[in-house]
Amino acid sequence: MIEYTLNSSAREITEAMSDGKKAKVFSMFFPENFTALIPEDMYDCPVADLSEKVKMPWGAPFISRDMARAANLTNEIVEEKAWEFVPLWVESSPDYIPDPDAGGKEQVCLIVPSNPEAGSKPAVIICPGGGYEILGPDNEGLNLAKKMAENGYVAFVLLYRRKPDYYPAPQEDLALAAKYVKYNAEKYGVDKNTIMFMGSSAGGHLCASVAAYPDETDAALIAELEKTDPEKAKKYREIPIKPDQLCLNYPVISFVKEAHEQSFQALTGGDESLRDKLSIELHVDENYPKTFVWACEDDGLVPCSNAVRFGEALKKEGVPCRLRVYPQGDHGCGLGDGTSAAGWSDEMLSFFNGR
């Protein structure tokens, strides 16, 4: 099977990803509007060249590495069948592939390992970011999942609802994912007593908010299931959703101070009555999960003060936590390759392993 690199051309990648199933999966990881930015006269150049001459809509260089990685992840799913999509609110079917742009419960799913090993490993449910408007299931999803799997975790990636599905819809999706993983712990080789939530940017806020309001979120989920799927409500009712560990990557935390206003609007529809409640640094106590939180000092989108204030709030309550602020890496850097944040995942794993 071909492995795509920065030396691959845009034409090689797009032609290989053009058939029905591959096209749908590839567009999840690398949206069509990103591909449309490539000038026709550069389609035969190495994609590495695009980062020098093409800009993303937000002004950053073209994300060439993401394009190559998206093609490789698509092959892992379609050809190698290393991962599969499991819908959480609706019944599955052999040809199920979510359409995240469509929204609604039908698109809510976990990307799960197709061939899990027997055993009892810790699990991690990964929530990509995207301002509660879009999702980045490659760089902040499967890329992190593969890293965690290499280090002994059973990794799941959650595709959750976003605008116009407002609070608490995304929180209910994460709660449902936690119940699914615990209910199927034996199937996936999971230790249901060691569940981590990992979230990036707005996905970090999602994880932090469910950890702050586990009982309320659980009750809302069960009430919804009782209306739509009473059998599922019955089998999931007694399964707790609170995570044992929390890893927050350059998270959105506050909506009252140095807030990421776009996330607030997308999550709440502008409901000011939720601004304080969903500023999670204001609502932690001594029972909050053990947390690793980090950000980059040069983050130009979500001020790193969100992470700093959250770490300080946890320490004030006596919650075991570790806060790291790296000098350079900006926002959305995933594993941080090529930045000063490149070692964050090793620090995080050491922290949770008691080192």
Side-chain angles (χ1 to χ4, degrees), residues 15 24 41 44 59 88 135 179 215 226 266 309 353:
E15 288 184 355
K24 192 170 183 180
D41 62 359
D44 293 309
L88 294 178
L135 284 180
K179 289 179 181 287
D215 295 339
E226 284 176 338
R309 284 199 304 277
N353 288 329

Side-chain angles (χ1 to χ4, degrees), residues 51-99:
S51 61
E52 300 175 6
K53 300 181 180 178
V54 179
K55 295 289 186 183
M56 300 304 293
W58 53 89
F62 187 83
I63 47 178
S64 305
R65 193 179 303 276
D66 290 12
M67 186 177 189
R69 182 173 57 239
N72 291 325
L73 290 175
T74 299
N75 280 343
E76 287 185 23
I77 291 172
V78 178
E79 293 189 11
E80 295 183 15
K81 295 181 171 41
W83 305 87
E84 58 185 312
F85 302 102
V86 174
L88 294 178
W89 289 95
V90 300
E91 294 300 313
S92 188
S93 61
D95 58 350
Y96 175 80
I97 300 175
D99 180 1

Side-chain angles (χ1 to χ4, degrees), residues 257-271:
K257 188 173 183 181
E258 295 185 288
H260 187 242
E261 189 64 22
Q262 179 183 348
S263 290
F264 175 74
Q265 296 296 328
L267 176 60
T268 70
D271 184 348

